[in-house]
């Protein structure tokens, strides 16, 4: 497998972090014992989806321009 350029590695890392944040939000929702924690996990989940969406756009841009892989 070809090594990614540092800029693409960071995009991959952002996608991984977004996945981790989604998992955290799901696990936090399952373990919470009050509504204010639910707000926190909602913010985390929303942020994760925003990060994922932006990182996927950047990845596609890099792929389309030949800068990926």
């Amino acid at each position: 497998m070809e090594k990614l350029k540092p800029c693409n590695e960071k995009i991959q890392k952002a996608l991984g972090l977004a996945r981790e944040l989604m998992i955290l939000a799901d696990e936090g929702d399952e373990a919470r014992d009050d509504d204010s924690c639910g707000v926190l996990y909602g913010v985390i989940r929303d942020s994760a989806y925003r990060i994922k969406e932006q990182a996927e756009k950047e990845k596609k841009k890099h792929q389309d321009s030949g800068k990926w892989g």
Side-chain angles (χ1 to χ4, degrees):
M1 186 162 100
E2 190 174 328
K3 183 167 171 49
L4 292 176
K5 295 178 185 180
C7 60
N8 294 334
E9 286 179 1
K10 302 308 179 209
I11 293 171
Q12 283 293 102
K13 187 171 184 176
L15 287 167
L17 290 171
R19 279 190 297 277
E20 287 183 43
L21 287 170
M22 289 177 200
I23 292 167
L24 173 62
D26 290 343
E27 291 174 348
D29 263 339
E30 291 175 12
R32 70 183 169 103
D33 60 0
D34 59 47
D35 290 341
S36 62
C37 285
V39 172
L40 170 63
Y41 297 120
V43 169
I44 292 171
R45 184 175 289 107
D46 183 61
S47 299
Y49 279 107
R50 288 174 185 235
I51 292 166
K52 180 179 184 253
E53 180 181 22
Q54 191 63 42
E56 286 174 342
K57 285 180 184 177
E58 286 301 312
K59 181 177 179 177
K60 179 152 178 31
K61 219 166 86 173
H62 284 218
Q63 288 171 329
D64 291 348
S65 68
K67 295 178 187 176
W68 193 268

